[in-house]
Each structure stands twice: as structure tokens, then as C-alpha cells.
Amino acid sequence: MKTVRPLAIAAALLLAGCASSGTSTGSDRGATWWNPLTYSWSSLAPWHWFGSSLKVTEQGVGKVNGSTAMNEEAISDGLSGNYNVRKGMRGENGGVVTFFQAVSEKQVKVEVTGEATVSRIDVTDSTLPTADGKKVGTPFSDLYSKAFGSCQKGTGSDRDGVECKAPGSQHISYVFSGEWHGPDGLLPSDETLKKWTISKIIWRK
């Protein structure tokens, strides 16, 4: 019985904590009932106990990849529920682009674009690494000795940066940013790039 009693107490505390997660105001507070069918049990999953274990790999970001449907639920699930996901639209190249933003601490950490399914994932979350440990903030010199053969001038919203193909990858590239006062459209020198760091990781289908 000595071992059963602590387990019973722990179970009671767990249920009490779940019940208190509901919201109520005024005189209704005392009449609030916890409905186990409405509780988000996914938050109790083991991968939420120790923080994020998401990574950028050749297969995608977490479980978001080229076969993931472009809807809020699929993207949120693929990112293990680590972010608040919101939908947006913007004009681009004369058309309209639909995207989803994964937000944490009031900042956009991941942006997903595509049509019926995901085609591109932009990662700016410094806590979300690649499989080999590269992440936002990693210096250019940790990956490359020179830009030739791997890098090109960034385009669009990344036009002030330099985009480089990740070594040995078919789907991942890095956008490097840093200080430079050279002419627009030209790559900075290798010596300058050594001081630049990853500002974004891009996965493309």
C-alpha cells in the first residue's frame, strides 16, 4: 500500500492540474467541469517533456515535408505543436502566395509556403538546428573556405544576404548575413564572408 498511495496522489494532482487549465469567470468558476475529450492530450507526449527535438534534415523540418498538406493543423502537428501557427497571404510576382507562420515568443520562427502541399520552409529559429548541428548564428567559416561553387547572391527578401547550398545536401541551403558596404549584386569577398553568420535555413522540396 505504501507504493500505491504516492501514485494515487500523483494521479490526483495531474487531474487537478488538467482541470485547472480550463477558463471561467465570475460565479461560473465553481461550476466548471473538466471534459477529458476536449483536453489537448498531445501536450503530455514525451517529446514535450524536455523541450523541442525538431531538426532540419533532408526529409524536411520535424515532420513537415513536401507531402505535408498546406493547412494549419498539419503544419502545427508536423512541428510537434511547438509553435502557434497562423495563416497569411501576400502578393508576389504578380500573384498571391499563401503561407503559414510558426510563431513563438511573438516572433516568427518558421515560415512555410506551398500550394496544395509544402514546397519551402524558412527557419529563423536559433534553437532549431540541422541534423549536423548547424543553426542560425553559425559562422560562414564553420562550413566554407570560399563562396565559389557553393554560394550566390540572395534574392527577394534575402537580397542583402548570400545563399549557399549546404554541403552534401539536395534540399537545404543557408542564408548568411553580415556587414558589408560593397556594390549591390556582387558577392562579398571570402575574407568578409568569414565573419558572416547564418540568418536563415531554407529547406526546399
Side-chain angles (χ1 to χ4, degrees), residues 86-143:
R86 64 191 186 191
K87 182 180 180 180
M89 301 179 77
R90 62 171 173 258
E92 191 173 292
N93 298 325
V96 178
V97 175
T98 299
F99 60 90
F100 288 89
Q101 293 178 329
V103 179
S104 176
E105 299 175 345
K106 298 182 180 180
Q107 294 184 333
V108 176
K109 303 289 188 176
V110 181
E111 183 171 289
V112 179
T113 54
E115 295 182 1
T117 57
V118 172
S119 60
R120 171 173 168 156
I121 309 169
D122 291 21
V123 174
T124 52
D125 187 345
S126 61
T127 68
L128 206 170
T130 60
D132 60 354
K134 305 301 184 291
K135 58 185 178 180
V136 169
T138 297
F140 178 91
S141 57
D142 281 9
L143 291 115

Side-chain angles (χ1 to χ4, degrees), residues 144 146-152 165 187:
Y144 312 94
K146 59 183 179 180
F148 181 76
S150 300
C151 306
Q152 61 184 8
K165 199 74 175 174
L187 286 177

Side-chain angles (χ1 to χ4, degrees), residues 48-189:
H48 289 293
W49 298 351
F50 308 103
S52 173
S53 59
L54 296 175
K55 285 183 172 60
V56 182
T57 68
E58 283 295 278
Q59 289 71 45
V61 178
K63 294 182 179 179
V64 179
N65 53 48
S67 62
T68 302
M70 278 290 288
N71 65 63
E72 183 177 328
E73 182 179 2
I75 292 169
S76 180
D77 288 348
L79 295 175
S80 300
N82 288 1
Y83 307 92
N84 293 319
V85 178
R86 64 191 186 191
K87 182 180 180 180
M89 301 179 77
R90 62 171 173 258
E92 191 173 292
N93 298 325
V96 178
V97 175
T98 299
F99 60 90
F100 288 89
Q101 293 178 329
V103 179
S104 176
E105 299 175 345
K106 298 182 180 180
Q107 294 184 333
V108 176
K109 303 289 188 176
V110 181
E111 183 171 289
V112 179
T113 54
E115 295 182 1
T117 57
V118 172
S119 60
R120 171 173 168 156
I121 309 169
D122 291 21
V123 174
T124 52
D125 187 345
S126 61
T127 68
L128 206 170
T130 60
D132 60 354
K134 305 301 184 291
K135 58 185 178 180
V136 169
T138 297
F140 178 91
S141 57
D142 281 9
L143 291 115
Y144 312 94
S145 59
K146 59 183 179 180
F148 181 76
S150 300
C151 306
Q152 61 184 8
K153 188 65 176 168
T155 59
S157 62
D158 302 317
R159 59 185 175 277
D160 293 330
V162 171
E163 183 175 337
C164 305
K165 199 74 175 174
S169 173
Q170 296 182 351
H171 301 279
I172 300 170
S173 60
Y174 304 115
V175 176
F176 291 89
S177 299
E179 187 175 351
W180 188 57
H181 304 290
D184 291 341
L186 294 181
L187 286 177
S189 67

